[in-house]
Amino acid sequence: MAVEIPRLPHTLPLPLKDDVLLELVDKTKDWALMHGAAMRSKANFSKDSLNFAPFVLVPSAFPRKEFYKAVQLQQILNELMHRVAHNREFLTKSLKETIQVDEFTGNLFKIYETVQDEGVSQPISLGLLRSDTMLETTCPSPGKNCPPSALYCCWKQVEINTIASGFGWLGPASALIQRFVLQELNHHEMLVNLPDNNALEGLCSGMLEAWKIYGDSKAAILFIIEDVTYNICDQRFHEFELRRLNPYVKVIRRTLTDMAQRAKLGPDNELLIDGYAVSVVDGYAVSVVYFRAGYEPGHYHSQKEWDARLLIERSQAIKSPSIHYHLAGTKKVQQALARPGAIEMFLGEASKIEAVKEIFTGLYSLDFDEFGDQAIQMALDAPERFVLKPQREGGGNNIYGKEIRDAILKMKDSRERTAWILMERINPPLSTGYIVRPGGPDIPELVDLVSELGIFGVIIGDSTKIYSNRQVGHMLRTKVSTANEGGVAAGLGALDSPYLI
Ligand code: ADP
Ligand code: MG
Ligand code: MG
């Protein structure tokens, strides 16, 4: 007999009547487009046009207590990641096997070792992080942390992103869309349950703080971008917000290929681009580098782009992320942190350690040792209980369900397996709602949904001191319950925001 999955309550009586839906959906699509909750189309790409980003019409319910717990934990997670990023021994030990077989992580690690051995020119890092979480319905110890009858047990961390943590704009924009919808439906009284979300301002103020620390008022903030940017509104709103907060700060966008062709280091390792020289008015010196690309192999077309990444890393510019932060965000390091005794190495206070441990779910290495062998056996015995993950970012790389068995059988005797980790699958509660998509029906169907909450954090510091550490906002992505993954840009997920119950 199939186990019934717990269900979160509706935030409004559903379904809505067809005539109400028809008019509301049409109007809200225009609202989204006209307020920049949009993306470039992959199917009909043109730089000159936008599609609205898929969104959930009515906000999904999210338990208030769990939401604020996640918000409050973010500063501790920031601190943890900052310390992990600055621990060479831990990074080296955790990634030792993986970098032998995963060329991409290996290349990142080579850059890390190079700059560590040379001596870093810029000790300060800017962390713009996003911790992604899901509610868990399968309680391992009912009665301890939650009542046995609870809808959900607690929330669990999916991963923490240290590079290109997007949705600083689309996160807050989702709540703006849904505020509009609730008002159109005359549910003004519900607005108080949509929590404030100033993620965009928070992330941008982090960049401006780093720019100030750098201390050259003329130096630009540089966004490293892909060749083609689909998620353009999210990125441009960061740029425009920086300009709104401080109209004197120049913001420029360049690809790694541009950097390879046009960037160089000055006499004090200043990052200079586009023909900059002190006596010439062309070009820019760069104060802060914000990577919105560089997190997957496809962003490095040749050795030149890798050389550009090294050049940036060697520079005096403050990087988000610096290479050690990038490595600290790998899945392998996440798994190493879940080992007994690991968190204790980085956080002193017992209450902090306990709070972080509570959100971890089972994470297992597939190294060639008895633990790796045990993990392989567990995955073969019950593949549906797990997610198999490589060292990649950006969605669409994981393996689920029965395919895990095939993948494991294929890799089990080769060193390839050390590039992967096994994670227990989180089983979130269902909610019900409408997803509105470009090209979708005029009247969307009511479907079962599951959500993933991301909390943004900003941290600035060096190996000895933390200058700033704060939680700055959130984003909620929701997908149909049958999809394994819910990337919005990838087309499965939709913008949503938590309605606190
Ligand atoms: P990426 O860095 O590519 O975003 P993630 O670890 O976030 O990798 O995995 C991508 C997606 O896969 C997540 O957004 C989530 O929808 C799903 N996912 C990942 N891990 C789990 C898990 N343990 N349980 C359930 N779903 C998961
Ligand atoms: Mg990620
Ligand atoms: Mg993710």
Side-chain angles (χ1 to χ4, degrees), residues 233-435:
C233 293
D234 196 61
Q235 290 188 21
R236 284 287 190 203
F237 268 88
H238 284 74
E239 176 174 347
F240 302 156
E241 177 71 2
L242 286 166
R243 301 284 291 165
R244 186 185 74 81
L245 292 169
N246 187 336
Y248 297 98
V249 180
K250 194 80 192 161
V251 180
I252 56 174
R253 293 163 58 85
R254 301 286 182 273
T255 63
L256 283 169
T257 312
D258 294 333
M259 295 304 284
Q261 289 162 354
R262 310 210 296 267
K264 62 177 184 196
L265 295 182
D268 289 322
N269 290 333
E270 305 94 325
L271 181 59
L272 309 174
I273 175 143
D274 298 353
Y276 180 96
V278 180
S279 55
V280 182
V281 279
D282 290 346
Y284 305 95
V286 175
S287 54
V288 176
V289 183
Y290 171 50
F291 284 92
R292 286 295 294 241
Y295 54 81
E296 64 163 53
H299 298 159
Y300 300 81
H301 307 305
S302 66
Q303 184 57 37
K304 282 191 190 135
E305 284 76 14
W306 283 110
D307 294 344
R309 180 82 193 259
L310 175 61
L311 180 98
I312 295 170
E313 203 55 43
R314 276 177 165 153
S315 78
Q316 234 200 80
I318 298 178
K319 286 137 307 248
S320 183
S322 45
I323 195 79
H324 43 290
Y325 254 90
H326 189 169
L327 292 171
T330 54
K331 311 277 187 295
K332 189 68 196 167
V333 169
Q334 182 189 11
Q335 175 262 311
L337 279 172
R339 284 219 165 105
I343 302 290
E344 286 83 345
M345 291 166 53
F346 300 102
L347 296 174
E349 287 166 54
S351 62
K352 288 185 180 176
I353 295 166
E354 202 42 48
V356 173
K357 278 188 177 170
E358 236 180 66
I359 67 162
F360 281 10
T361 187
L363 284 149
Y364 309 96
S365 93
L366 300 186
D367 289 352
F368 274 106
D369 56 20
E370 63 178 302
F371 300 112
D373 290 343
Q374 273 168 18
I376 286 206
Q377 197 52 51
M378 282 192 316
L380 290 174
D381 291 345
E384 66 289 346
R385 268 188 51 208
F386 299 99
V387 181
L388 184 63
K389 299 190 179 185
Q391 308 306 306
R392 291 289 175 274
E393 296 295 328
N397 301 299
N398 301 337
I399 298 180
Y400 300 85
K402 287 201 183 69
E403 285 170 24
I404 292 182
R405 184 175 279 154
D406 302 337
I408 291 220
L409 287 174
K410 226 194 259 165
M411 69 170 83
K412 120 179 164 0
D413 298 317
S414 85
R415 290 172 71 202
E416 156 84 9
R417 71 186 228 187
T418 60
W420 296 74
I421 63 150
L422 190 69
M423 182 173 185
E424 249 155 62
R425 186 163 185 160
I426 306 166
N427 301 290
L430 300 177
S431 55
T432 318
Y434 300 102
I435 294 188

Side-chain angles (χ1 to χ4, degrees), residues 47-61:
K47 259 188 132 176
D48 299 342
S49 65
L50 293 171
N51 280 345
F52 68 86
F55 60 87
V56 179
L57 193 64
V58 176
S60 299

Side-chain angles (χ1 to χ4, degrees), residues 99-336:
I99 57 174
Q100 310 283 336
V101 285
D102 185 66
E103 195 189 346
F104 178 70
T105 314
N107 284 341
L108 294 175
F109 199 81
K110 261 187 235 153
I111 293 177
Y112 172 62
E113 291 213 295
T114 306
V115 291
Q116 286 290 316
D117 293 344
E118 287 173 358
V120 287
S121 342
Q122 177 52 265
I124 295 173
S125 291
L126 166 63
L128 301 172
L129 314 181
R130 200 187 71 216
S131 168
D132 289 341
T133 68
M134 279 175 162
L135 288 171
E136 172 64 282
T137 54
T138 319
C139 193
S141 51
K144 186 167 165 248
N145 295 321
C146 64
S149 59
L151 263 179
Y152 52 86
C153 151
C154 42
W155 54 267
K156 294 286 175 193
Q157 184 173 65
V158 174
E159 62 153 351
I160 190 154
N161 293 291
T162 57
I163 183 164
S165 309
F167 286 70
W169 159 245
L170 289 175
S174 321
L176 299 178
I177 297 173
Q178 292 173 333
R179 283 181 78 87
F180 172 77
V181 167
L182 293 178
Q183 282 171 323
E184 286 297 306
L185 291 169
N186 285 322
H187 281 293
H188 307 274
E189 80 290 353
M190 291 174 70
L191 300 183
V192 293
N193 295 316
L194 295 175
D196 284 347
N197 190 359
N198 300 312
L200 184 68
E201 185 174 344
L203 293 168
C204 291
S205 65
M207 286 190 237
L208 285 176
E209 208 177 319
W211 168 85
K212 221 180 211 163
I213 291 173
Y214 185 83
D216 172 359
S217 63
K218 291 209 191 78
I221 296 179
L222 163 69
F223 287 21
I224 296 291
I225 55 166
E226 296 153 281
D227 296 340
V228 178
T229 307
Y230 294 104
N231 197 4
I232 189 69
C233 293
D234 196 61
Q235 290 188 21
R236 284 287 190 203
F237 268 88
H238 284 74
E239 176 174 347
F240 302 156
E241 177 71 2
L242 286 166
R243 301 284 291 165
R244 186 185 74 81
L245 292 169
N246 187 336
Y248 297 98
V249 180
K250 194 80 192 161
V251 180
I252 56 174
R253 293 163 58 85
R254 301 286 182 273
T255 63
L256 283 169
T257 312
D258 294 333
M259 295 304 284
Q261 289 162 354
R262 310 210 296 267
K264 62 177 184 196
L265 295 182
D268 289 322
N269 290 333
E270 305 94 325
L271 181 59
L272 309 174
I273 175 143
D274 298 353
Y276 180 96
V278 180
S279 55
V280 182
V281 279
D282 290 346
Y284 305 95
V286 175
S287 54
V288 176
V289 183
Y290 171 50
F291 284 92
R292 286 295 294 241
Y295 54 81
E296 64 163 53
H299 298 159
Y300 300 81
H301 307 305
S302 66
Q303 184 57 37
K304 282 191 190 135
E305 284 76 14
W306 283 110
D307 294 344
R309 180 82 193 259
L310 175 61
L311 180 98
I312 295 170
E313 203 55 43
R314 276 177 165 153
S315 78
Q316 234 200 80
I318 298 178
K319 286 137 307 248
S320 183
S322 45
I323 195 79
H324 43 290
Y325 254 90
H326 189 169
L327 292 171
T330 54
K331 311 277 187 295
K332 189 68 196 167
V333 169
Q334 182 189 11
Q335 175 262 311

